Amino acid sequence: MSIITMREALRQAMDEEMARDKNVILMGEEVAQYNGAYKVSQGLYDKYGEKRVIDTPITENGFAGVGIGAAMAGLRPIVEFMTFNFALQAFDQIVNNAAKMRYMSGGQFKVPIVFRGPNGPAEFLSSQHSQATQTFFAHVPGLKVVAPGTPYDAKGLLKAAIRDDNPVIFLESELMYSWEGEVPEEEYIIDIGKADVKKEGSDITIISYSKPLRYVMESAEILEKEGINVEVVDLRSIRPLDEETILNSVKKTNRCVIVDESWPFVSVASHVGWLISYKAFDYLDAPVELVTSEDVPMPYNHKLELAAQPSVDKIIKAVKKVMYI
Amino acid sequence: MAEKLYMIALSPTMEKGTIIKWNKKENDSFTEGDVLCEVETDKTTMDYEATDEGTILKILVPEGGKAAVGEPIAIFGEPGEDISDLLEDTIKEEPTNESVVVKEEINDNSLKDATASKTLENGNLDRIKISPLARKIALMKNIDISKIKGTGPGGRIIKRDVENYEPVQSVKDIKKDYTPIQVETSDEDVVIPLSDKRRIIGERLSQSKYTAPHFYLTVSVDMSNLLENRKMLKKKYNLSLNAFIIKIVANTLKKHRRINATLNNDSIIEFGRVDIALAVAQEDGLITPIVRNADKKGILQIDDELKILIDKAKNNKLDPEEYTNATFTISNLGSFGIDEFTAIINPPGSAILAVGMIKETPVVENGEIVIKPIIKMTLSSDHRVIDGALAAAFMKDLKDTFENPILAIL
């Protein structure tokens, strides 16, 4: 198995799907001639040409709408947002058209579109460009929302998302593009809606997804040395949510911390916390704890920027609180 | 369509019942008239008969569990029916403090343990801080959570506290080399939760003793003639002394209507019927089966009825109408060797006769000491209904009749 970056894994997924199905197209700002703002689409323009790899103007609301129209007309567009902060410009298209068209047309239209790009805080981007937007999209019925945490998951899930007949919000992270991981040469698909137990453990469940997964794994390693055996559940897919894997893990460990880099209020984390209290109440030995970003706009100052986000230190503190240590 | 099976009132005063035994298990089918379970009410154990037919799909109240009248105790219907909606319902229905409705999924046996209900009954537990998991484990292990020390935040009882909990070791458990003195009985305190019956007895008798101003009259009765008569009959009939006592008391009551009466708000009811209850000791309290219209029955019939009633009483099988609403009660502790005692009035009656043992007693008769079989009878009367002189007149008449049984047929 080769070790590649997440950037490369995503590129491979798009490349393989474009080769497999001529209806798959890629569009977005700088995806073609510049090979992508973060070089995720490197080489695709040369390989598939300007009719299938399309540079768009800085008009998120416009090109998201064009992509939705193209999907309704039979193509399978991948729409790259340079960052999901800019997708807020296209929020009306995504929420009111992409998410609802299949429902409102009584199933006459399918909308096989993928909106993908970096999500969540990176560094030195200040509050307008450092938002974890998953909760906005996960709120809307009709959208699937996935957020892989490894190159392996990223490739398998992106291929599943491209083949899906419904709009899929595919959340990446700028800082994750250079993360490396094992990815097999042969083709594979990861079904949307399946969580993954990234590490088995018996004392406490930490649930996370996307970028914070790395901090969770680091925390688990440190806690292991202190004798706390952590189980790590990677949601991978936020909507649909794999309730079974979540509940089975909590029923086993009786304790849970949820790590989510979005804001705490009415968030993915708070929903999962409620779910556990509702469906695994009799299995809990302690209240479920959340580790989220602070409930503030992202500061520009780097120390404050880091302090506002989940960290290994915060995760370990939360685990010890839930373990009553 | 699956339906809920509700606890019904099996006696007039029943508010809730304890399921002693399920005669039908889950997945057993039943038809109309089948006994589904046995229910301990405030006074006795009753059969719960099916009024419908079907299959028991889910038992909600396990053996030993309690349910108030109107609360669901089981779900029945066709085999294999989906009853998840009904189970959801039962979760929504607020259980009373005493009843435990098992709220687990069908295939989860963890809470089915009949002992589960006991822990919850032991008092007001909702002020004890305990994690849901720890509560569940305590229920499964039948540990009284009020005895566990919590080590979680604010003293919350958590899983490790329940798992590490060990009941206080008793002296008996200490293993030492010396030979202990052989004592059969345990030195430990034995805590026995009040049964419904015990509680009702307590409530009723306290109420009687607190509200009815009791006064007591005792007479010594010479039983020579009666015993002679009984002995004479014995060749043909083996009649209990109680049958004679009931008969004579019934006849005497008929002449003294105020003794056979009750206080009803601002009036006194002198009963037309003479229904005499006889206190019968059971292991877990006493019960008072009734010989109805004893004044209109002969001693033979009274004796026959008594045999059946006492047998049923001792087996907890009395129907409510067989022990409620007596107009007068007799308590006989003669067989225990009691000389004389005072009894507490059994409402709605206004008087109770306490009968001691027949004892060979020296009596002065015509200036000479003779030995006579003497019995002491004490009447407790409610002074609100019965005045001293009335009670005394009744006792005099009663004494005369016992001493000259022929008066009973005059």
Side-chain angles (χ1 to χ4, degrees):
Chain A
M1 223 184 295
S2 55
I3 293 183
I4 60 172
T5 60
M6 184 175 253
R7 174 185 287 117
E8 171 61 12
L10 292 166
R11 193 200 62 75
Q12 281 182 11
M14 290 193 287
D15 190 1
E16 286 173 24
E17 291 306 302
M18 289 179 86
R20 196 182 76 94
D21 180 352
K22 63 176 173 31
N23 287 323
V24 177
I25 61 166
L26 173 65
M27 56 195 291
E29 293 154 10
E30 298 179 359
V31 297
Q33 294 189 35
Y34 188 64
N35 282 314
Y38 299 102
K39 301 292 175 257
V40 176
S41 55
Q42 181 111 42
L44 295 179
Y45 174 70
D46 290 341
K47 194 166 175 184
Y48 296 103
E50 61 183 13
K51 287 198 169 170
R52 293 184 65 194
V53 183
I54 304 157
D55 275 327
T56 64
I58 309 176
T59 54
E60 276 78 11
N61 193 32
F63 69 74
V66 167
I68 292 163
M72 288 166 66
L75 297 178
R76 307 187 82 87
I78 304 163
V79 174
E80 180 180 302
F81 292 118
M82 196 179 284
T83 137
F84 264 91
N85 294 284
F86 303 160
L88 302 184
Q89 281 274 355
F91 208 54
D92 177 55
Q93 286 294 353
I94 296 169
V95 171
N96 278 323
N97 290 327
K100 296 167 188 167
M101 194 56 71
R102 194 167 186 179
Y103 174 78
M104 291 181 72
S105 70
Q108 295 181 79
F109 286 111
K110 290 184 282 194
V111 188
I113 190 168
V114 179
F115 296 102
R116 51 156 289 274
N119 171 61
E123 286 184 315
F124 308 105
L125 290 169
S126 192
S127 51
Q128 292 179 338
H129 293 160
S130 275
Q131 304 178 89
T133 61
Q134 51 268 41
T135 296
F136 303 162
F137 297 108
H139 189 62
V140 184
L143 297 179
K144 294 187 178 182
V145 184
V146 297
T150 66
Y152 175 86
D153 289 345
K155 183 176 177 184
L157 277 169
L158 184 53
K159 286 168 76 80
I162 291 167
R163 295 185 194 185
D164 201 295
D165 279 342
N166 298 291
V168 179
I169 307 291
F170 194 93
L171 302 169
E172 301 153 13
S173 172
E174 188 183 324
L175 296 178
M176 291 165 74
Y177 285 136
S178 58
W179 290 6
E180 293 182 331
E182 286 186 345
V183 175
E185 265 93 55
E186 61 271 21
E187 184 181 275
Y188 65 96
I189 298 275
I190 293 175
D191 291 338
I192 295 172
K194 289 272 188 300
D196 185 36
V197 177
K198 285 283 189 289
K199 179 187 169 304
E200 302 248 357
S202 58
D203 293 336
I204 186 165
T205 298
I206 305 182
I207 295 172
S208 193
Y209 60 93
S210 191
K211 192 171 78 200
L213 183 67
R214 174 170 281 203
Y215 316 140
V216 170
M217 295 306 282
E218 282 174 36
S219 307
E221 216 167 287
I222 294 167
L223 289 161
E224 204 79 8
K225 287 177 190 138
E226 296 183 29
I228 299 166
N229 192 222
V230 178
E231 177 147 311
V232 178
V233 172
D234 175 12
L235 295 180
R236 298 197 297 204
S237 167
I238 294 167
R239 190 163 180 163
L241 189 64
D242 183 356
E243 297 187 1
E244 196 184 350
T245 302
I246 295 169
L247 296 173
N248 283 346
S249 178
V250 173
K251 284 177 181 179
K252 183 169 83 172
T253 63
N254 313 129
R255 293 176 161 82
C256 185
V257 168
I258 302 163
V259 183
D260 179 355
E261 69 178 355
S262 66
W263 289 308
F265 188 75
V266 286
S267 61
V268 174
S270 65
H271 174 84
V272 174
W274 162 80
L275 178 80
I276 292 166
S277 77
Y278 182 62
K279 295 198 172 172
F281 181 74
D282 277 327
Y283 294 88
L284 288 177
D285 205 22
V288 174
E289 190 72 22
L290 307 188
V291 177
T292 64
S293 280
E294 300 302 328
D295 202 9
V296 293
M298 185 61 73
Y300 180 72
N301 175 290
H302 192 52
K303 278 190 176 165
L304 293 178
E305 187 181 32
L306 292 176
Q309 298 174 55
S311 64
V312 171
D313 188 44
K314 286 181 183 178
I315 294 166
I316 288 174
K317 275 194 181 128
V319 165
K320 290 186 172 174
K321 189 175 171 193
V322 172
M323 295 291 294
Y324 301 140
I325 299 172
Chain B
M1 258 313 265
E3 286 176 52
K4 283 179 234 173
L5 183 70
Y6 295 99
M7 179 64 86
I8 51 171
L10 294 159
S11 81
T13 53
M14 173 174 162
E15 285 170 0
K16 56 179 172 281
T18 305
I19 295 187
I20 299 298
K21 183 165 176 280
W22 275 103
N23 294 357
K24 298 283 176 188
K25 307 291 173 216
E26 284 176 14
N27 301 320
D28 282 0
S29 62
F30 59 87
T31 54
E32 200 179 320
D34 282 359
V35 176
L36 298 177
C37 59
E38 290 170 27
V39 178
E40 185 191 45
T41 67
D42 46 1
K43 272 287 188 183
T44 185
T45 301
M46 301 281 295
D47 289 340
Y48 186 133
E49 286 180 12
T51 55
D52 209 335
E53 58 178 32
T55 298
I56 301 277
L57 301 176
K58 177 81 185 160
I59 287 174
L60 300 171
V61 179
E63 288 182 3
K66 294 182 186 191
V69 172
E71 279 184 351
I73 58 172
I75 293 173
F76 71 100
E78 299 293 323
E81 260 188 276
D82 178 19
I83 56 167
S84 48
D85 284 359
L86 288 174
L87 283 174
E88 284 281 306
D89 273 5
T90 56
I91 293 167
K92 282 174 207 147
E93 284 170 24
E94 285 247 322
T96 64
N97 281 343
E98 288 82 8
S99 78
V100 171
V101 180
V102 179
K103 297 170 188 170
E104 278 293 277
E105 286 165 21
I106 308 165
N107 55 0
D108 189 344
N109 288 321
S110 53
L111 276 184
K112 275 191 185 163
D113 193 344
T115 55
S117 54
K118 289 184 191 158
T119 320
L120 276 191
E121 279 164 34
N122 284 347
N124 186 10
L125 300 187
D126 48 15
R127 284 165 197 269
I128 295 176
K129 260 183 120 179
I130 179 166
S131 81
L133 177 70
R135 183 183 288 271
K136 184 179 162 187
I137 296 171
L139 276 172
M140 281 161 54
K141 292 188 167 183
N142 198 25
I143 295 171
D144 180 357
I145 61 171
S146 64
K147 296 207 167 73
I148 307 173
K149 193 177 176 306
T151 62
R156 178 185 295 142
I157 299 166
I158 59 175
K159 182 174 151 194
R160 63 170 176 245
D161 302 327
V162 182
E163 287 181 340
N164 296 340
Y165 173 77
E166 278 176 21
V168 180
Q169 207 187 26
S170 71
V171 178
K172 284 197 305 180
D173 297 334
I174 301 170
K175 292 198 173 85
K176 282 278 167 69
D177 290 337
Y178 59 77
T179 316
I181 301 163
Q182 293 294 321
V183 181
E184 285 295 318
T185 52
S186 161
D187 292 336
E188 289 170 83
D189 292 349
V190 178
V191 179
I192 298 152
L194 274 192
S195 68
D196 277 353
K197 190 177 194 176
R198 199 70 253 164
R199 185 174 56 76
I200 301 264
I201 289 172
E203 282 170 9
R204 280 171 55 89
L205 292 183
S206 309
Q207 203 197 5
S208 170
K209 188 91 181 184
Y210 295 151
T211 56
H214 286 53
F215 71 92
Y216 311 96
L217 303 176
T218 305
V219 292
S220 295
V221 178
D222 175 1
M223 298 289 273
S224 310
N225 291 341
L226 194 135
L227 290 179
E228 200 61 41
N229 293 344
R230 186 177 172 221
K231 207 168 152 189
M232 200 174 70
L233 290 166
K234 205 157 192 171
K235 289 164 198 156
K236 202 168 176 194
Y237 309 104
N238 188 15
L239 298 170
S240 70
L241 187 63
N242 281 328
F244 288 89
I245 296 175
I246 288 171
K247 178 62 192 168
I248 289 170
V249 167
N251 276 28
T252 313
L253 282 172
K254 203 67 193 168
K255 290 184 238 165
H256 297 264
R257 295 197 59 159
R258 182 53 66 88
I259 312 297
N260 191 47
T262 192
L263 184 67
N264 181 37
N265 297 325
D266 49 3
S267 60
I268 289 169
I269 297 169
E270 290 180 351
F271 292 115
R273 61 196 165 94
V274 178
D275 292 345
I276 298 192
L278 182 70
V280 173
Q282 288 169 293
E283 259 180 34
D284 58 340
L286 56 89
I287 194 154
T288 51
I290 298 164
V291 178
R292 303 274 177 197
N293 300 311
D295 57 318
K296 298 192 178 83
K297 289 172 181 166
I299 295 177
L300 283 180
Q301 191 185 347
I302 292 173
D303 191 63
D304 281 346
E305 286 190 19
L306 268 186
K307 282 193 183 104
I308 294 165
L309 287 170
I310 290 172
D311 188 56
K312 282 177 97 171
K314 288 188 169 158
N315 290 306
N316 265 333
K317 289 287 179 197
L318 284 175
D319 293 333
E321 62 268 24
E322 290 174 319
Y323 61 80
T324 46
N325 280 324
T327 61
F328 187 88
T329 304
I330 295 169
S331 177
N332 184 347
L333 292 179
S335 61
F336 293 92
I338 300 299
D339 288 341
E340 61 176 306
F341 66 105
T342 59
I344 300 172
I345 296 162
N346 177 30
S350 291
I352 183 168
L353 188 70
V355 180
M357 71 181 289
I358 298 172
K359 196 174 177 184
E360 295 291 321
T361 310
V363 175
V364 180
E365 207 175 64
N366 303 322
E368 282 186 33
I369 295 170
V370 288
I371 308 288
K372 295 269 189 185
I374 297 293
I375 199 166
K376 287 194 175 173
M377 297 184 180
T378 303
L379 185 76
S380 309
S381 306
D382 180 349
H383 217 320
R384 296 173 303 175
V385 178
I386 302 166
D387 286 334
L390 286 175
F394 168 75
M395 288 304 273
K396 182 180 182 307
D397 223 350
L398 194 66
K399 177 181 159 79
D400 287 351
T401 315
F402 270 111
E403 291 181 349
N404 303 289
I406 193 134
L407 292 174
I409 58 165
L410 286 180

